[in-house]
Amino acid sequence: MSGFALVCLVLSAVIYLSYISIVYIKYKPSCISESYYKIKHGYMFTVWMLLVSFLIFPSWVECSPICFQFLPFLSSVALGIVGLNPKYLGSDRVAHIVAT
């Protein structure tokens, strides 16, 4: 694995674990998507999801065999869609649920 992909993977893991730890200790949501409703600044959920999806992408692509390299792309796009459509309750939840 290249140095860039390794740094991206480590940053992604640190950001992911930090957000999960802080949110679960402070708010105790029943699922990750519920943290959007629990935290004071809901946009932080979107920022977190986009950062994780963009940072993990290079290492996923590098570790995947050629015939499966479309899967990291689809996974990152789906995670980005979840971040951009954080509301899983109400009438505008279809994109969040489909991407999840």
Side-chain angles (χ1 to χ4, degrees):
M1 184 180 297
S2 71
F4 175 72
L6 186 61
V7 167
C8 286
L9 181 64
V10 169
L11 280 174
S12 177
V14 167
I15 291 169
Y16 179 83
L17 293 172
S18 298
Y19 179 87
I20 294 294
S21 299
I22 291 167
V23 166
Y24 273 88
I25 288 169
K26 193 170 182 179
Y27 301 106
K28 298 185 183 16
S30 59
C31 65
I32 293 171
S33 295
E34 188 181 347
S35 69
Y36 170 77
Y37 297 102
K38 299 263 186 179
I39 59 178
K40 186 176 180 180
H41 303 290
Y43 67 89
M44 290 307 294
F45 176 82
T46 300
V47 169
W48 170 69
M49 291 292 264
L50 291 175
L51 273 174
V52 170
S53 72
F54 289 142
L55 286 173
I56 204 164
F57 180 73
S59 56
W60 275 353
V61 169
E62 206 168 297
C63 292
S64 300
I66 298 289
C67 60
F68 292 114
Q69 284 190 343
F70 68 96
L71 291 175
F73 175 75
L74 290 178
S75 300
S76 293
V77 168
L79 195 59
I81 290 171
V82 170
L84 292 172
N85 297 292
K87 297 179 181 178
Y88 75 99
L89 300 174
S91 62
D92 55 347
R93 67 190 202 149
V94 174
H96 183 94
I97 291 174
V98 169
T100 303

Coordinates of all heavy atoms in Angstrom, one line a residue:
M1 N 0.9 -1.2 0.0 CA 0.0 0.0 0.0 C 0.9 1.2 0.0 O 1.9 1.3 0.7 CB -0.9 0.0 1.2 CG -1.9 1.1 1.3 SD -3.0 1.2 2.7 CE -3.9 -0.3 2.5
S2 N 0.5 2.2 -0.8 CA 1.3 3.4 -0.9 C 1.2 4.2 0.4 O 0.3 4.1 1.1 CB 0.9 4.2 -2.1 OG -0.4 4.8 -1.9
G3 N 2.1 5.2 0.5 CA 2.1 6.0 1.7 C 0.9 6.9 1.8 O 0.3 7.1 2.8
F4 N 0.4 7.4 0.6 CA -0.7 8.2 0.5 C -2.0 7.5 1.0 O -2.8 7.9 1.8 CB -0.9 8.8 -0.9 CG -2.2 9.6 -1.1 CD1 -2.3 10.8 -0.5 CD2 -3.2 9.0 -1.8 CE1 -3.5 11.6 -0.7 CE2 -4.4 9.8 -2.0 CZ -4.5 11.0 -1.4
A5 N -2.1 6.2 0.4 CA -3.3 5.4 0.8 C -3.3 5.1 2.3 O -4.3 5.1 2.9 CB -3.3 4.2 -0.1
L6 N -2.1 4.8 2.8 CA -2.0 4.5 4.2 C -2.4 5.6 5.1 O -3.1 5.5 6.1 CB -0.6 4.0 4.5 CG -0.4 3.4 5.9 CD1 -1.3 2.2 6.2 CD2 1.1 3.1 6.1
V7 N -1.9 6.8 4.7 CA -2.2 8.0 5.5 C -3.7 8.3 5.4 O -4.4 8.6 6.5 CB -1.4 9.2 5.0 CG1 -2.0 10.5 5.5 CG2 0.0 9.1 5.3
C8 N -4.3 8.1 4.3 CA -5.8 8.3 4.1 C -6.5 7.3 5.0 O -7.5 7.7 5.6 CB -6.2 8.2 2.6 SG -5.7 9.6 1.6
L9 N -6.1 6.1 5.0 CA -6.8 5.0 5.8 C -6.7 5.4 7.2 O -7.7 5.2 8.0 CB -6.1 3.7 5.5 CG -6.8 2.5 6.2 CD1 -8.2 2.3 5.8 CD2 -5.9 1.2 6.0
V10 N -5.5 5.8 7.7 CA -5.4 6.1 9.1 C -6.2 7.3 9.5 O -6.9 7.3 10.5 CB -3.9 6.3 9.5 CG1 -3.7 6.9 10.9 CG2 -3.1 5.0 9.4
L11 N -6.2 8.3 8.7 CA -7.0 9.5 9.0 C -8.5 9.2 9.0 O -9.2 9.7 9.8 CB -6.7 10.6 7.9 CG -5.5 11.5 8.1 CD1 -5.3 12.4 6.9 CD2 -5.6 12.3 9.4
S12 N -8.9 8.4 8.0 CA -10.3 8.0 8.0 C -10.7 7.2 9.2 O -11.8 7.5 9.8 CB -10.5 7.1 6.7 OG -11.8 6.6 6.7
A13 N -9.9 6.3 9.7 CA -10.2 5.5 10.9 C -10.2 6.4 12.1 O -11.1 6.3 13.0 CB -9.1 4.4 11.1
V14 N -9.3 7.4 12.2 CA -9.2 8.3 13.4 C -10.5 9.2 13.4 O -11.1 9.3 14.5 CB -7.9 9.1 13.4 CG1 -8.0 10.3 14.3 CG2 -6.7 8.3 13.7
I15 N -10.9 9.7 12.3 CA -12.0 10.6 12.2 C -13.3 9.8 12.5 O -14.2 10.2 13.2 CB -12.1 11.3 10.8 CG1 -11.0 12.3 10.7 CG2 -13.5 11.9 10.6 CD1 -10.8 12.8 9.2
Y16 N -13.4 8.6 11.9 CA -14.6 7.7 12.2 C -14.7 7.4 13.6 O -15.8 7.6 14.2 CB -14.4 6.4 11.3 CG -15.6 5.5 11.5 CD1 -16.7 5.6 10.8 CD2 -15.5 4.4 12.4 CE1 -17.8 4.8 11.0 CE2 -16.5 3.5 12.6 CZ -17.7 3.7 11.9 OH -18.7 2.8 12.1
L17 N -13.6 6.9 14.2 CA -13.7 6.5 15.6 C -13.9 7.6 16.6 O -14.6 7.5 17.6 CB -12.4 5.7 16.0 CG -12.3 4.3 15.3 CD1 -10.9 3.7 15.6 CD2 -13.4 3.4 15.8
S18 N -13.3 8.8 16.3 CA -13.5 10.0 17.1 C -15.0 10.4 17.1 O -15.5 10.6 18.2 CB -12.6 11.1 16.6 OG -11.3 10.8 16.7
Y19 N -15.6 10.5 16.0 CA -17.0 10.9 15.9 C -17.9 9.9 16.6 O -18.7 10.3 17.4 CB -17.4 11.0 14.4 CG -18.8 11.5 14.2 CD1 -19.2 12.8 14.2 CD2 -19.9 10.5 14.1 CE1 -20.5 13.2 14.1 CE2 -21.2 10.9 13.9 CZ -21.5 12.2 13.9 OH -22.8 12.6 13.8
I20 N -17.7 8.6 16.3 CA -18.5 7.6 16.9 C -18.4 7.6 18.4 O -19.4 7.6 19.2 CB -18.1 6.2 16.4 CG1 -18.5 6.1 14.9 CG2 -18.8 5.1 17.2 CD1 -19.9 6.2 14.6
S21 N -17.1 7.7 18.9 CA -16.9 7.8 20.4 C -17.5 9.0 21.0 O -18.2 8.8 22.0 CB -15.4 7.8 20.7 OG -14.8 6.6 20.1
I22 N -17.3 10.1 20.5 CA -17.8 11.4 21.1 C -19.4 11.3 21.1 O -20.0 11.7 22.1 CB -17.3 12.6 20.3 CG1 -15.8 12.8 20.6 CG2 -18.1 13.9 20.7 CD1 -15.1 13.8 19.7
V23 N -20.0 11.0 19.9 CA -21.4 11.0 19.8 C -22.1 10.0 20.7 O -23.1 10.3 21.4 CB -21.8 10.8 18.4 CG1 -23.3 10.5 18.2 CG2 -21.5 12.1 17.6
Y24 N -21.5 8.8 20.8 CA -22.1 7.7 21.6 C -21.9 8.0 23.1 O -22.8 7.6 23.9 CB -21.6 6.4 21.2 CG -22.4 5.8 20.1 CD1 -22.1 6.1 18.8 CD2 -23.5 5.0 20.3 CE1 -22.9 5.6 17.7 CE2 -24.3 4.5 19.3 CZ -24.0 4.8 18.0 OH -24.7 4.3 17.0
I25 N -20.8 8.6 23.5 CA -20.6 8.9 24.9 C -21.5 10.0 25.3 O -22.1 10.0 26.4 CB -19.1 9.3 25.2 CG1 -18.3 8.0 25.1 CG2 -19.0 9.9 26.5 CD1 -16.8 8.3 25.1
K26 N -21.7 11.0 24.5 CA -22.4 12.2 24.9 C -23.9 12.1 24.6 O -24.7 12.5 25.5 CB -21.9 13.4 24.1 CG -22.4 14.8 24.6 CD -21.6 15.9 23.9 CE -22.1 17.2 24.4 NZ -21.4 18.3 23.8
Y27 N -24.4 11.5 23.5 CA -25.8 11.5 23.2 C -26.5 10.1 23.2 O -27.7 10.1 23.2 CB -26.0 12.1 21.8 CG -25.5 13.5 21.7 CD1 -24.3 13.8 21.0 CD2 -26.2 14.6 22.3 CE1 -23.8 15.1 20.9 CE2 -25.7 15.9 22.2 CZ -24.5 16.1 21.5 OH -24.1 17.4 21.4
K28 N -25.7 9.1 23.1 CA -26.2 7.7 23.1 C -27.3 7.5 22.1 O -28.4 7.0 22.4 CB -26.7 7.3 24.5 CG -25.5 7.3 25.5 CD -25.9 6.8 26.8 CE -24.9 6.9 27.9 NZ -23.7 7.7 27.7
P29 N -27.1 7.7 20.8 CA -28.1 7.5 19.8 C -28.2 6.0 19.5 O -27.3 5.2 19.8 CB -27.6 8.2 18.5 CG -26.1 8.1 18.7 CD -25.9 8.3 20.2
S30 N -29.4 5.5 19.1 CA -29.6 4.1 18.8 C -29.0 3.6 17.5 O -28.7 2.5 17.3 CB -31.1 3.8 18.8 OG -31.7 4.5 17.8
C31 N -28.6 4.6 16.6 CA -27.9 4.3 15.4 C -27.1 5.5 14.9 O -27.3 6.6 15.4 CB -28.9 3.8 14.3 SG -30.0 5.1 13.7
I32 N -26.2 5.3 14.0 CA -25.3 6.4 13.6 C -26.1 7.5 12.9 O -25.9 8.7 13.2 CB -24.2 5.8 12.6 CG1 -23.3 4.9 13.4 CG2 -23.5 7.0 12.0 CD1 -22.3 4.2 12.5
S33 N -27.1 7.1 12.1 CA -27.9 8.1 11.5 C -28.7 9.0 12.4 O -29.0 10.2 12.1 CB -28.9 7.5 10.5 OG -28.2 6.8 9.4
E34 N -29.1 8.5 13.6 CA -29.8 9.3 14.6 C -28.9 10.4 15.2 O -29.4 11.3 15.7 CB -30.3 8.3 15.7 CG -31.2 9.0 16.7 CD -31.7 8.1 17.8 OE1 -31.5 6.9 17.7 OE2 -32.2 8.6 18.8
S35 N -27.6 10.2 15.1 CA -26.7 11.3 15.6 C -26.9 12.6 14.9 O -26.7 13.6 15.5 CB -25.3 10.8 15.5 OG -24.8 10.8 14.1
Y36 N -27.4 12.6 13.7 CA -27.7 13.8 13.0 C -28.8 14.6 13.7 O -28.7 15.9 13.8 CB -28.3 13.5 11.6 CG -28.9 14.7 10.9 CD1 -28.0 15.7 10.3 CD2 -30.2 14.9 10.8 CE1 -28.6 16.8 9.7 CE2 -30.8 16.0 10.2 CZ -29.9 17.0 9.6 OH -30.5 18.1 9.0
Y37 N -29.8 14.0 14.3 CA -30.8 14.6 15.1 C -30.4 15.0 16.5 O -30.9 15.9 17.1 CB -32.1 13.7 15.1 CG -32.7 13.5 13.8 CD1 -32.5 12.3 13.1 CD2 -33.4 14.4 13.1 CE1 -33.0 12.0 11.9 CE2 -34.0 14.2 11.9 CZ -33.8 13.0 11.3 OH -34.3 12.8 10.0
K38 N -29.4 14.2 17.0 CA -29.0 14.4 18.4 C -28.0 15.6 18.6 O -28.0 16.3 19.6 CB -28.4 13.1 19.0 CG -29.4 12.0 19.0 CD -30.0 11.9 20.3 CE -30.9 10.6 20.4 NZ -31.4 10.5 21.7
I39 N -27.1 15.7 17.6 CA -26.0 16.7 17.8 C -26.5 18.1 17.6 O -27.5 18.3 16.8 CB -24.7 16.4 16.9 CG1 -25.1 16.3 15.5 CG2 -24.1 15.0 17.4 CD1 -23.9 16.1 14.6
K40 N -25.8 19.0 18.2 CA -26.3 20.4 18.1 C -26.2 21.0 16.6 O -27.1 21.6 16.1 CB -25.4 21.3 19.0 CG -25.9 22.7 19.1 CD -25.0 23.4 20.2 CE -25.5 24.9 20.3 NZ -24.7 25.6 21.3
H41 N -25.1 20.7 16.0 CA -24.8 21.1 14.6 C -25.0 19.9 13.7 O -24.0 19.2 13.5 CB -23.4 21.8 14.5 CG -23.2 22.9 15.4 ND1 -23.9 24.1 15.3 CD2 -22.4 23.0 16.5 CE1 -23.5 24.9 16.2 NE2 -22.6 24.3 17.0
G42 N -26.1 19.8 13.1 CA -26.4 18.6 12.2 C -25.5 18.5 11.0 O -25.2 17.4 10.5
Y43 N -24.9 19.6 10.5 CA -24.0 19.6 9.4 C -22.7 18.8 9.7 O -22.1 18.4 8.8 CB -23.7 21.0 8.9 CG -22.9 21.8 9.9 CD1 -21.5 21.7 9.8 CD2 -23.4 22.6 10.8 CE1 -20.7 22.4 10.7 CE2 -22.7 23.4 11.7 CZ -21.3 23.3 11.6 OH -20.5 24.0 12.5
M44 N -22.4 18.6 10.9 CA -21.2 17.9 11.3 C -21.3 16.4 10.9 O -20.4 15.8 10.6 CB -20.9 18.0 12.8 CG -20.5 19.4 13.2 SD -19.1 20.0 12.3 CE -17.8 18.9 12.7
F45 N -22.6 15.9 10.9 CA -22.8 14.5 10.4 C -22.4 14.4 8.9 O -21.7 13.5 8.5 CB -24.3 14.1 10.6 CG -24.6 12.8 10.1 CD1 -24.3 11.6 10.8 CD2 -25.2 12.6 8.8 CE1 -24.7 10.4 10.3 CE2 -25.6 11.4 8.3 CZ -25.3 10.3 9.1
T46 N -22.8 15.4 8.1 CA -22.5 15.5 6.7 C -21.0 15.6 6.5 O -20.5 14.8 5.7 CB -23.3 16.6 6.0 OG1 -24.7 16.4 6.2 CG2 -22.9 16.7 4.6
V47 N -20.4 16.5 7.2 CA -18.9 16.7 7.1 C -18.2 15.4 7.4 O -17.3 14.9 6.7 CB -18.5 17.8 8.0 CG1 -17.0 17.9 8.1 CG2 -19.0 19.1 7.5
W48 N -18.6 14.7 8.5 CA -18.0 13.5 8.9 C -18.2 12.4 7.9 O -17.2 11.7 7.5 CB -18.6 13.0 10.3 CG -18.2 11.7 10.7 CD1 -17.0 11.3 11.1 CD2 -19.1 10.5 10.7 NE1 -17.0 9.9 11.4 CE2 -18.3 9.5 11.2 CE3 -20.4 10.3 10.4 CZ2 -18.8 8.2 11.4 CZ3 -20.9 9.0 10.6 CH2 -20.1 8.0 11.1
M49 N -19.4 12.2 7.4 CA -19.6 11.1 6.4 C -18.8 11.4 5.1 O -18.2 10.5 4.5 CB -21.1 11.0 6.0 CG -21.9 10.5 7.1 SD -21.6 8.8 7.5 CE -22.9 8.0 6.5
L50 N -18.8 12.6 4.7 CA -18.0 12.9 3.4 C -16.5 12.8 3.6 O -15.8 12.2 2.8 CB -18.3 14.4 3.0 CG -19.8 14.6 2.4 CD1 -20.0 16.0 2.1 CD2 -20.0 13.7 1.2
L51 N -16.0 13.2 4.8 CA -14.6 13.0 5.1 C -14.2 11.5 5.1 O -13.2 11.1 4.5 CB -14.2 13.7 6.4 CG -13.9 15.1 6.4 CD1 -13.7 15.6 7.8 CD2 -12.6 15.4 5.6
V52 N -15.0 10.7 5.8 CA -14.7 9.3 5.9 C -14.7 8.7 4.5 O -13.9 7.9 4.1 CB -15.6 8.6 6.9 CG1 -15.5 7.1 6.8 CG2 -15.4 9.1 8.3
S53 N -15.8 9.0 3.7 CA -15.9 8.4 2.4 C -14.8 8.8 1.4 O -14.3 7.9 0.7 CB -17.3 8.6 1.8 OG -17.4 10.0 1.4
F54 N -14.4 10.0 1.4 CA -13.3 10.5 0.6 C -12.0 10.0 1.0 O -11.1 9.7 0.2 CB -13.3 12.0 0.5 CG -14.4 12.6 -0.3 CD1 -15.0 13.8 0.1 CD2 -15.0 12.0 -1.4 CE1 -16.1 14.4 -0.6 CE2 -16.0 12.5 -2.1 CZ -16.6 13.7 -1.7
L55 N -11.7 9.9 2.3 CA -10.4 9.5 2.8 C -10.2 8.0 2.7 O -9.1 7.5 2.5 CB -10.2 9.9 4.2 CG -10.0 11.4 4.4 CD1 -9.9 11.7 5.9 CD2 -8.7 11.8 3.8
I56 N -11.2 7.2 2.8 CA -11.0 5.7 2.7 C -11.0 5.2 1.3 O -10.4 4.1 1.0 CB -12.1 5.0 3.5 CG1 -11.6 3.6 3.9 CG2 -13.4 4.9 2.8 CD1 -12.4 3.0 5.0
F57 N -11.4 6.0 0.3 CA -11.5 5.6 -1.1 C -10.2 5.2 -1.6 O -10.1 4.1 -2.2 CB -12.1 6.7 -1.9 CG -12.2 6.3 -3.4 CD1 -13.2 5.4 -3.8 CD2 -11.4 6.9 -4.3 CE1 -13.2 5.1 -5.2 CE2 -11.4 6.6 -5.6 CZ -12.4 5.7 -6.1
P58 N -9.1 5.9 -1.5 CA -7.8 5.5 -2.1 C -7.3 4.2 -1.6 O -6.8 3.3 -2.4 CB -6.8 6.6 -1.7 CG -7.7 7.8 -1.4 CD -8.9 7.2 -0.9
S59 N -7.4 3.9 -0.3 CA -6.9 2.6 0.2 C -7.8 1.5 -0.3 O -7.3 0.4 -0.5 CB -6.8 2.7 1.7 OG -8.0 3.0 2.3
W60 N -9.1 1.7 -0.4 CA -10.0 0.7 -0.9 C -9.7 0.3 -2.3 O -9.7 -0.9 -2.6 CB -11.5 1.1 -0.8 CG -12.2 0.9 0.5 CD1 -11.7 0.3 1.6 CD2 -13.5 1.4 0.8 NE1 -12.7 0.3 2.6 CE2 -13.7 1.0 2.1 CE3 -14.4 2.2 0.1 CZ2 -14.9 1.3 2.8 CZ3 -15.6 2.5 0.8 CH2 -15.9 2.0 2.1
V61 N -9.5 1.3 -3.1 CA -9.1 1.0 -4.5 C -7.8 0.3 -4.6 O -7.7 -0.6 -5.4 CB -9.1 2.4 -5.3 CG1 -8.5 2.1 -6.7 CG2 -10.5 2.9 -5.5
E62 N -6.8 0.7 -3.9 CA -5.5 0.1 -3.9 C -5.5 -1.3 -3.5 O -4.8 -2.2 -4.0 CB -4.5 0.9 -3.1 CG -3.1 0.8 -3.6 CD -2.2 1.8 -3.0 OE1 -2.4 3.0 -3.2 OE2 -1.3 1.4 -2.2
C63 N -6.3 -1.7 -2.5 CA -6.4 -3.0 -2.0 C -7.3 -4.0 -2.7 O -7.3 -5.2 -2.5 CB -6.8 -3.0 -0.5 SG -5.6 -2.2 0.6
S64 N -8.1 -3.4 -3.6 CA -9.1 -4.2 -4.4 C -8.5 -4.8 -5.6 O -7.7 -4.1 -6.3 CB -10.3 -3.4 -4.8 OG -10.9 -2.9 -3.7
P65 N -8.8 -6.0 -6.0 CA -8.4 -6.6 -7.3 C -9.1 -5.8 -8.4 O -10.1 -5.1 -8.2 CB -8.9 -8.0 -7.3 CG -9.5 -8.3 -5.9 CD -9.6 -7.0 -5.2
I66 N -8.4 -5.8 -9.6 CA -8.9 -5.0 -10.7 C -10.4 -5.2 -11.0 O -11.1 -4.3 -11.3 CB -8.1 -5.3 -12.0 CG1 -6.6 -4.9 -11.7 CG2 -8.6 -4.6 -13.2 CD1 -6.3 -3.4 -11.7
C67 N -10.8 -6.5 -11.0 CA -12.2 -6.8 -11.3 C -13.2 -6.3 -10.3 O -14.4 -6.3 -10.6 CB -12.3 -8.3 -11.6 SG -11.9 -9.3 -10.1
F68 N -12.8 -5.9 -9.1 CA -13.7 -5.5 -8.1 C -13.5 -4.0 -7.7 O -14.0 -3.5 -6.7 CB -13.6 -6.3 -6.8 CG -14.1 -7.7 -7.0 CD1 -13.2 -8.8 -6.9 CD2 -15.4 -8.0 -7.3 CE1 -13.6 -10.1 -7.1 CE2 -15.9 -9.3 -7.5 CZ -15.0 -10.3 -7.4
Q69 N -12.7 -3.2 -8.5 CA -12.5 -1.9 -8.2 C -13.6 -0.9 -8.3 O -13.6 0.2 -7.8 CB -11.3 -1.3 -9.0 CG -10.0 -1.9 -8.4 CD -8.8 -1.2 -9.0 OE1 -8.8 -0.6 -10.1 NE2 -7.6 -1.4 -8.4
F70 N -14.7 -1.4 -8.9 CA -15.9 -0.6 -8.9 C -16.6 -0.6 -7.5 O -17.4 0.4 -7.2 CB -16.9 -1.1 -10.0 CG -17.5 -2.5 -9.7 CD1 -18.7 -2.5 -9.1 CD2 -16.8 -3.6 -10.0 CE1 -19.3 -3.8 -8.8 CE2 -17.4 -4.9 -9.7 CZ -18.6 -4.9 -9.1
L71 N -16.4 -1.5 -6.7 CA -17.1 -1.6 -5.4 C -16.6 -0.5 -4.4 O -17.5 0.1 -3.8 CB -16.8 -3.0 -4.8 CG -17.6 -4.1 -5.4 CD1 -17.2 -5.4 -4.8 CD2 -19.1 -3.9 -5.4
P72 N -15.3 -0.1 -4.4 CA -15.0 1.0 -3.5 C -15.6 2.3 -4.0 O -16.1 3.1 -3.2 CB -13.5 1.1 -3.6 CG -13.0 -0.2 -4.0 CD -14.1 -0.8 -4.8
F73 N -15.7 2.5 -5.3 CA -16.4 3.6 -5.9 C -17.9 3.7 -5.5 O -18.4 4.7 -5.0 CB -16.3 3.7 -7.4 CG -17.0 4.8 -8.0 CD1 -16.5 6.1 -8.0 CD2 -18.2 4.6 -8.7 CE1 -17.2 7.1 -8.5 CE2 -18.9 5.6 -9.2 CZ -18.4 6.9 -9.2
L74 N -18.6 2.6 -5.6 CA -20.0 2.5 -5.3 C -20.2 2.7 -3.8 O -21.1 3.4 -3.3 CB -20.6 1.2 -5.7 CG -20.8 0.9 -7.2 CD1 -21.3 -0.4 -7.4 CD2 -21.7 2.0 -7.8
S75 N -19.3 2.2 -3.0 CA -19.4 2.3 -1.5 C -19.2 3.7 -1.1 O -19.9 4.3 -0.2 CB -18.4 1.4 -0.8 OG -18.6 0.1 -1.1
S76 N -18.2 4.4 -1.7 CA -17.9 5.8 -1.3 C -19.0 6.7 -1.7 O -19.4 7.6 -1.0 CB -16.6 6.2 -1.9 OG -15.5 5.5 -1.4
V77 N -19.5 6.5 -2.9 CA -20.7 7.3 -3.4 C -21.9 7.1 -2.5 O -22.5 8.1 -2.1 CB -21.0 7.0 -4.9 CG1 -22.3 7.6 -5.3 CG2 -19.9 7.5 -5.8
A78 N -22.2 5.8 -2.1 CA -23.3 5.6 -1.3 C -23.1 6.2 0.1 O -24.1 6.8 0.6 CB -23.5 4.1 -1.1
L79 N -21.9 6.2 0.7 CA -21.7 6.8 1.9 C -21.8 8.3 1.8 O -22.3 9.0 2.7 CB -20.3 6.4 2.4 CG -19.9 6.7 3.9 CD1 -20.9 6.0 4.8 CD2 -18.5 6.2 4.2
G80 N -21.3 8.9 0.7 CA -21.5 10.3 0.5 C -23.0 10.7 0.4 O -23.4 11.8 0.8
I81 N -23.8 9.9 -0.3 CA -25.2 10.2 -0.4 C -25.9 10.2 0.9 O -26.7 11.0 1.2 CB -25.9 9.2 -1.4 CG1 -25.4 9.5 -2.8 CG2 -27.4 9.3 -1.3 CD1 -25.8 8.4 -3.8
V82 N -25.5 9.2 1.8 CA -26.0 9.2 3.1 C -25.7 10.4 3.9 O -26.5 11.0 4.6 CB -25.5 7.9 3.9 CG1 -25.9 8.0 5.4 CG2 -26.1 6.7 3.3
G83 N -24.4 10.9 3.7 CA -24.0 12.1 4.4 C -24.7 13.4 3.8 O -25.1 14.3 4.6
L84 N -25.0 13.4 2.5 CA -25.7 14.6 1.9 C -27.2 14.6 2.2 O -27.8 15.6 2.0 CB -25.3 14.6 0.4 CG -23.9 15.0 0.1 CD1 -23.6 14.8 -1.4 CD2 -23.5 16.4 0.6
N85 N -27.7 13.4 2.5 CA -29.1 13.3 2.8 C -29.3 12.7 4.2 O -29.7 11.5 4.3 CB -29.9 12.4 1.8 CG -29.8 13.0 0.4 OD1 -30.4 14.0 0.2 ND2 -29.1 12.3 -0.5
P86 N -29.0 13.4 5.2 CA -28.9 12.8 6.6 C -30.2 12.5 7.2 O -30.2 11.7 8.2 CB -28.1 13.9 7.4 CG -28.5 15.2 6.7 CD -28.6 14.8 5.2
K87 N -31.3 13.0 6.8 CA -32.6 12.8 7.4 C -33.1 11.5 7.0 O -33.5 11.2 5.9 CB -33.5 13.9 7.1 CG -33.1 15.3 7.5 CD -34.0 16.4 7.1 CE -33.5 17.7 7.6 NZ -34.4 18.8 7.2
Y88 N -33.2 10.6 8.0 CA -33.8 9.3 7.7 C -35.2 9.1 8.3 O -35.9 8.1 8.1 CB -32.9 8.1 8.3 CG -33.0 8.0 9.8 CD1 -33.8 7.0 10.4 CD2 -32.2 8.7 10.6 CE1 -33.8 6.8 11.7 CE2 -32.2 8.6 12.0 CZ -33.1 7.6 12.5 OH -33.1 7.4 13.9
L89 N -35.7 10.2 8.9 CA -37.1 10.3 9.3 C -37.8 11.3 8.5 O -37.3 12.3 8.0 CB -37.2 10.7 10.8 CG -36.4 9.8 11.8 CD1 -36.5 10.5 13.2 CD2 -37.1 8.4 11.9
G90 N -39.1 11.0 8.2 CA -39.9 12.0 7.5 C -40.0 11.6 6.0 O -39.6 10.5 5.6
S91 N -40.6 12.5 5.2 CA -40.9 12.2 3.8 C -39.6 12.2 2.9 O -39.7 11.6 1.8 CB -41.9 13.2 3.3 OG -41.4 14.5 3.4
D92 N -38.6 12.9 3.3 CA -37.4 13.0 2.4 C -36.3 12.0 2.8 O -35.1 12.2 2.6 CB -36.8 14.4 2.4 CG -36.5 14.9 3.8 OD1 -36.9 14.2 4.8 OD2 -35.8 15.9 3.9
R93 N -36.7 10.8 3.2 CA -35.8 9.8 3.7 C -35.4 8.8 2.6 O -34.5 7.9 2.9 CB -36.3 9.1 4.9 CG -37.5 8.2 4.6 CD -38.2 7.7 5.8 NE -39.0 6.5 5.5 CZ -39.2 5.6 6.3 NH1 -38.8 5.6 7.5 NH2 -39.9 4.5 5.9
V94 N -36.0 8.8 1.5 CA -35.8 7.7 0.5 C -34.3 7.6 0.1 O -33.7 6.5 0.0 CB -36.6 8.0 -0.8 CG1 -36.3 7.0 -1.9 CG2 -38.1 7.9 -0.4
A95 N -33.6 8.7 -0.2 CA -32.2 8.7 -0.7 C -31.3 8.1 0.4 O -30.4 7.3 0.1 CB -31.8 10.1 -1.1
H96 N -31.6 8.5 1.6 CA -30.8 8.0 2.8 C -30.9 6.5 2.9 O -29.9 5.8 3.0 CB -31.2 8.7 4.1 CG -30.4 8.3 5.2 ND1 -29.3 9.1 5.7 CD2 -30.5 7.3 6.1 CE1 -28.8 8.5 6.8 NE2 -29.5 7.4 7.0
I97 N -32.1 6.0 2.9 CA -32.4 4.6 3.1 C -31.8 3.8 1.9 O -31.2 2.7 2.1 CB -33.9 4.4 3.3 CG1 -34.2 4.9 4.7 CG2 -34.2 2.9 3.2 CD1 -35.7 4.9 5.0
V98 N -32.0 4.2 0.7 CA -31.5 3.5 -0.5 C -30.0 3.5 -0.5 O -29.4 2.4 -0.8 CB -32.1 4.2 -1.8 CG1 -31.3 3.6 -3.0 CG2 -33.6 4.0 -1.9
A99 N -29.4 4.6 -0.2 CA -27.9 4.6 -0.1 C -27.3 3.7 1.0 O -26.3 3.1 0.9 CB -27.4 6.0 0.0
T100 N -28.1 3.7 2.1 CA -27.6 2.9 3.2 C -27.7 1.4 2.9 O -26.8 0.6 3.1 CB -28.5 3.1 4.5 OG1 -28.5 4.5 4.8 CG2 -28.0 2.3 5.6

